[in-house]
């Protein structure tokens, strides 16, 4: 069946690959941080995999977000350096700000 036949049946397929690629290319660059002697890089929020929330349970789980973004070894290094929940909040707020997400806004809702 040709594309024109499909369009006539009301089943047109809208190709979004190019638009999605343009948006991905326009994402902010990863952010490099240093805190308590630990250097780490956070990816653009909107580049996170769609199933991240399922894996961590909630985006309020800052520890889980850090493990998914940085890996267990880097998070262990942060814990050993003495990172606190307050430090985690500072990182999260700056990361959100640099990614155009209002602090406290769900990263899931930022994609909508």
């Amino acid at each position: 069946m040709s594309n024109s036949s499909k369009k006539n049946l009301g089943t047109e397929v809208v190709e979004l690959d190019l638009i999605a690629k343009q948006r991905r290319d326009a994402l902010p660059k990863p952010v490099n941080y240093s805190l308590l002697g630990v250097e780490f890089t956070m990816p653009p929020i909107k580049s996170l995999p769609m199933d991240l929330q399922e894996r961590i349970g909630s985006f309020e789980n800052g520890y889980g977000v850090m493990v998914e973004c940085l890996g267990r070894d880097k998070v262990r290094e942060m814990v050993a350096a003495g990172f606190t929940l307050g430090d985690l909040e500072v990182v999260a707020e700056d990361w959100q700000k640099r990614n155009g997400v209002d602090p406290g806004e769900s990263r899931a809702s930022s994609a909508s």
Side-chain angles (χ1 to χ4, degrees), residues 4-16:
S4 61
S5 298
K6 286 183 180 179
K7 288 179 184 178
N8 291 337
L9 296 175
T11 59
E12 179 180 2
V13 174
V14 178
E15 291 293 335
L16 297 174

PDB file of all heavy atoms in Angstrom, residues 4-16:
ATOM      1  N   SER A   4       0.304   7.457  -0.106  1.00  0.00           N
ATOM      2  CA  SER A   4      -0.887   8.252  -0.403  1.00  0.00           C
ATOM      3  C   SER A   4      -2.151   7.474  -0.060  1.00  0.00           C
ATOM      4  O   SER A   4      -3.131   8.039   0.389  1.00  0.00           O
ATOM      5  CB  SER A   4      -0.892   8.702  -1.864  1.00  0.00           C
ATOM      6  OG  SER A   4      -0.905   7.567  -2.722  1.00  0.00           O
ATOM      7  N   SER A   5      -2.142   6.159  -0.246  1.00  0.00           N
ATOM      8  CA  SER A   5      -3.291   5.344   0.122  1.00  0.00           C
ATOM      9  C   SER A   5      -3.506   5.372   1.626  1.00  0.00           C
ATOM     10  O   SER A   5      -4.623   5.462   2.108  1.00  0.00           O
ATOM     11  CB  SER A   5      -3.113   3.902  -0.340  1.00  0.00           C
ATOM     12  OG  SER A   5      -3.019   3.837  -1.742  1.00  0.00           O
ATOM     13  N   LYS A   6      -2.411   5.307   2.376  1.00  0.00           N
ATOM     14  CA  LYS A   6      -2.521   5.359   3.836  1.00  0.00           C
ATOM     15  C   LYS A   6      -3.118   6.679   4.278  1.00  0.00           C
ATOM     16  O   LYS A   6      -3.945   6.730   5.165  1.00  0.00           O
ATOM     17  CB  LYS A   6      -1.152   5.166   4.493  1.00  0.00           C
ATOM     18  CG  LYS A   6      -0.634   3.762   4.441  1.00  0.00           C
ATOM     19  CD  LYS A   6       0.688   3.678   5.172  1.00  0.00           C
ATOM     20  CE  LYS A   6       1.225   2.261   5.119  1.00  0.00           C
ATOM     21  NZ  LYS A   6       2.518   2.166   5.816  1.00  0.00           N
ATOM     22  N   LYS A   7      -2.690   7.772   3.672  1.00  0.00           N
ATOM     23  CA  LYS A   7      -3.204   9.094   4.042  1.00  0.00           C
ATOM     24  C   LYS A   7      -4.698   9.179   3.768  1.00  0.00           C
ATOM     25  O   LYS A   7      -5.433   9.759   4.543  1.00  0.00           O
ATOM     26  CB  LYS A   7      -2.452  10.193   3.299  1.00  0.00           C
ATOM     27  CG  LYS A   7      -1.036  10.382   3.800  1.00  0.00           C
ATOM     28  CD  LYS A   7      -0.324  11.460   3.032  1.00  0.00           C
ATOM     29  CE  LYS A   7       1.114  11.554   3.502  1.00  0.00           C
ATOM     30  NZ  LYS A   7       1.863  12.555   2.765  1.00  0.00           N
ATOM     31  N   ASN A   8      -5.135   8.583   2.701  1.00  0.00           N
ATOM     32  CA  ASN A   8      -6.553   8.623   2.363  1.00  0.00           C
ATOM     33  C   ASN A   8      -7.394   7.842   3.358  1.00  0.00           C
ATOM     34  O   ASN A   8      -8.560   8.118   3.520  1.00  0.00           O
ATOM     35  CB  ASN A   8      -6.786   8.081   0.942  1.00  0.00           C
ATOM     36  CG  ASN A   8      -6.223   9.001  -0.119  1.00  0.00           C
ATOM     37  OD1 ASN A   8      -6.042  10.196   0.122  1.00  0.00           O
ATOM     38  ND2 ASN A   8      -5.934   8.452  -1.277  1.00  0.00           N
ATOM     39  N   LEU A   9      -6.805   6.876   4.031  1.00  0.00           N
ATOM     40  CA  LEU A   9      -7.537   6.077   4.998  1.00  0.00           C
ATOM     41  C   LEU A   9      -7.542   6.718   6.389  1.00  0.00           C
ATOM     42  O   LEU A   9      -8.083   6.159   7.325  1.00  0.00           O
ATOM     43  CB  LEU A   9      -6.929   4.669   5.089  1.00  0.00           C
ATOM     44  CG  LEU A   9      -7.019   3.826   3.819  1.00  0.00           C
ATOM     45  CD1 LEU A   9      -6.275   2.508   4.010  1.00  0.00           C
ATOM     46  CD2 LEU A   9      -8.481   3.548   3.475  1.00  0.00           C
ATOM     47  N   GLY A  10      -6.904   7.886   6.521  1.00  0.00           N
ATOM     48  CA  GLY A  10      -6.892   8.561   7.815  1.00  0.00           C
ATOM     49  C   GLY A  10      -5.897   7.961   8.792  1.00  0.00           C
ATOM     50  O   GLY A  10      -6.028   8.143   9.992  1.00  0.00           O
ATOM     51  N   THR A  11      -4.922   7.237   8.275  1.00  0.00           N
ATOM     52  CA  THR A  11      -3.936   6.614   9.160  1.00  0.00           C
ATOM     53  C   THR A  11      -2.544   7.162   8.898  1.00  0.00           C
ATOM     54  O   THR A  11      -1.568   6.435   8.960  1.00  0.00           O
ATOM     55  CB  THR A  11      -3.941   5.085   8.979  1.00  0.00           C
ATOM     56  OG1 THR A  11      -3.633   4.789   7.616  1.00  0.00           O
ATOM     57  CG2 THR A  11      -5.259   4.471   9.387  1.00  0.00           C
ATOM     58  N   GLU A  12      -2.464   8.433   8.632  1.00  0.00           N
ATOM     59  CA  GLU A  12      -1.175   9.072   8.364  1.00  0.00           C
ATOM     60  C   GLU A  12      -0.236   8.897   9.569  1.00  0.00           C
ATOM     61  O   GLU A  12      -0.655   8.993  10.718  1.00  0.00           O
ATOM     62  CB  GLU A  12      -1.381  10.556   8.098  1.00  0.00           C
ATOM     63  CG  GLU A  12      -0.114  11.307   7.837  1.00  0.00           C
ATOM     64  CD  GLU A  12      -0.358  12.781   7.575  1.00  0.00           C
ATOM     65  OE1 GLU A  12      -1.511  13.229   7.624  1.00  0.00           O
ATOM     66  OE2 GLU A  12       0.633  13.474   7.337  1.00  0.00           O
ATOM     67  N   VAL A  13       0.999   8.620   9.266  1.00  0.00           N
ATOM     68  CA  VAL A  13       2.016   8.491  10.303  1.00  0.00           C
ATOM     69  C   VAL A  13       2.855   9.762  10.280  1.00  0.00           C
ATOM     70  O   VAL A  13       3.406  10.128   9.254  1.00  0.00           O
ATOM     71  CB  VAL A  13       2.916   7.260  10.061  1.00  0.00           C
ATOM     72  CG1 VAL A  13       4.056   7.225  11.062  1.00  0.00           C
ATOM     73  CG2 VAL A  13       2.096   5.991  10.118  1.00  0.00           C
ATOM     74  N   VAL A  14       2.907  10.434  11.398  1.00  0.00           N
ATOM     75  CA  VAL A  14       3.683  11.662  11.505  1.00  0.00           C
ATOM     76  C   VAL A  14       5.079  11.288  11.999  1.00  0.00           C
ATOM     77  O   VAL A  14       5.235  10.765  13.101  1.00  0.00           O
ATOM     78  CB  VAL A  14       3.019  12.665  12.479  1.00  0.00           C
ATOM     79  CG1 VAL A  14       3.863  13.919  12.608  1.00  0.00           C
ATOM     80  CG2 VAL A  14       1.603  12.985  12.023  1.00  0.00           C
ATOM     81  N   GLU A  15       6.066  11.509  11.183  1.00  0.00           N
ATOM     82  CA  GLU A  15       7.448  11.189  11.532  1.00  0.00           C
ATOM     83  C   GLU A  15       8.009  12.297  12.420  1.00  0.00           C
ATOM     84  O   GLU A  15       8.068  13.448  12.023  1.00  0.00           O
ATOM     85  CB  GLU A  15       8.302  11.042  10.265  1.00  0.00           C
ATOM     86  CG  GLU A  15       7.960   9.833   9.442  1.00  0.00           C
ATOM     87  CD  GLU A  15       8.290   8.522  10.144  1.00  0.00           C
ATOM     88  OE1 GLU A  15       9.175   8.496  11.022  1.00  0.00           O
ATOM     89  OE2 GLU A  15       7.648   7.514   9.812  1.00  0.00           O
ATOM     90  N   LEU A  16       8.416  11.947  13.621  1.00  0.00           N
ATOM     91  CA  LEU A  16       8.929  12.912  14.585  1.00  0.00           C
ATOM     92  C   LEU A  16      10.435  12.802  14.815  1.00  0.00           C
ATOM     93  O   LEU A  16      10.993  13.540  15.629  1.00  0.00           O
ATOM     94  CB  LEU A  16       8.197  12.750  15.928  1.00  0.00           C
ATOM     95  CG  LEU A  16       6.703  13.020  15.892  1.00  0.00           C
ATOM     96  CD1 LEU A  16       6.082  12.681  17.241  1.00  0.00           C
ATOM     97  CD2 LEU A  16       6.425  14.464  15.517  1.00  0.00           C
TER      98      LEU A  16
END
